[in-house]
Amino acid sequence: MKTAIPPGLSTAALARCIPFALFMALLMLRGSLPDGGALDPRWVYGLSVLIVGGALLWFWKDYGELARQNLPDLQQTLWSVGVGLAVFGLWIQLDAPWMQLGEATASFVPLDAQGRLDWPLIAMRWVGAALLVPVMEELFWRSFLMRWIAHPQFERVDPRQAGLRAIVLSTFVFMLAHTLWLAAIVAGLAYAWLYVRSGKLWTAVIAHAVTNGALGLWVIKTGRWEFW
């Protein structure tokens, strides 16, 4: 007799959790590598992009909400871009010491030995943060966790009916994964609002991508590496 897979371990859940878990594991690996060793820890981010990108492609057929027919219309896209820019504007302001969990440090400094910008490192980081991370994170935080909080069989949950409890709790956990906790609350609520309002995950992905892309350009211009 075939054994049923518990809802929390369904293929749909694993497809949304595994890429995120891989990314976090590789981040921890990067943090454990010594500076000046045989492997530059900064290039582990590129390895993360390749591995997580491969995992997303492997599971892509399980992401029905990202199918072509679920793309947002022009108005929804414009809303997403506007929200993404607004979150970026707030993110770089909400960095007072009391708004941080722990001490903000520069975890990724793309400078060579002479202190010049290392453009291959910058390009790798920006592409990963602006294109891959929004897809991976929104699949986990909003598509899976927010809806799973609403009901363990999360695929049956219409995001437009997820409820305030699911939005608040998923945003709280999202906050714990970021140093700038207040900025993370703003971002989490904004992306969740877009998802709930439109019923389309692409709106949250686009907003997240705009935020990360704008933040990366701002960091490169200002040298505020602690935001990266």
Side-chain angles (χ1 to χ4, degrees):
M1 185 174 70
K2 186 176 180 179
T3 303
I5 300 175
L9 297 178
S10 67
T11 301
L14 292 175
R16 287 158 176 77
C17 293
I18 287 176
F20 182 79
L22 286 171
F23 188 78
M24 297 305 293
L26 289 165
L27 281 183
M28 289 188 287
L29 170 64
R30 188 183 73 194
S32 67
L33 292 174
D35 292 330
L39 177 63
D40 188 336
R42 297 175 300 178
W43 283 105
V44 175
Y45 191 91
L47 178 64
S48 304
V49 169
L50 290 175
I51 292 175
V52 174
L56 289 172
L57 288 175
W58 179 266
F59 289 116
W60 194 259
K61 65 182 184 300
D62 296 299
Y63 306 141
E65 60 213 290
L66 296 182
R68 187 187 298 259
Q69 63 268 26
N70 291 320
L71 287 170
D73 59 29
L74 178 59
Q75 185 179 31
Q76 292 168 334
T77 301
L78 292 176
W79 266 105
S80 301
V81 172
V83 169
L85 289 174
V87 171
F88 158 69
L90 290 170
W91 191 283
I92 61 176
Q93 299 298 324
L94 301 176
D95 64 337
W98 67 270
M99 301 175 184
Q100 301 175 20
L101 291 173
E103 183 179 355
T105 58
S107 60
F108 189 90
V109 181
L111 302 176
D112 61 20
Q114 288 73 43
R116 297 172 300 193
L117 293 174
D118 190 326
W119 287 106
L121 274 173
I122 287 173
M124 172 199 68
R125 176 75 177 203
W126 190 88
V127 169
L131 301 181
L132 180 134
V133 168
V135 175
M136 173 201 71
E137 288 208 6
E138 292 310 312
L139 281 167
F140 177 76
W141 294 113
R142 255 59 68 178
S143 176
F144 170 66
L145 186 62
M146 190 183 85
R147 292 195 295 165
W148 179 83
I149 291 171
H151 194 283
Q153 293 180 314
F154 71 96
E155 286 183 285
R156 300 181 182 180
V157 177
D158 185 330
R160 290 166 292 193
Q161 300 175 347
L164 182 61
R165 174 176 171 272
I167 294 171
V168 170
L169 289 180
S170 61
T171 299
F172 176 76
V173 181
F174 180 76
M175 174 203 75
L176 295 177
H178 295 80
T179 301
L180 298 175
W181 65 268
L182 186 55
I185 289 177
V186 170
L189 290 176
Y191 303 152
W193 175 77
L194 281 170
Y195 187 32
V196 170
R197 182 177 183 271
S198 66
K200 296 180 178 180
L201 188 65
W202 274 116
T203 57
V205 171
I206 291 170
H208 200 150
V210 169
T211 300
N212 284 10
L215 182 63
L217 295 175
W218 179 81
V219 166
I220 294 166
K221 180 179 179 181
T222 62
R224 297 286 303 276
W225 308 115
E226 69 273 14
F227 280 86
W228 237 9

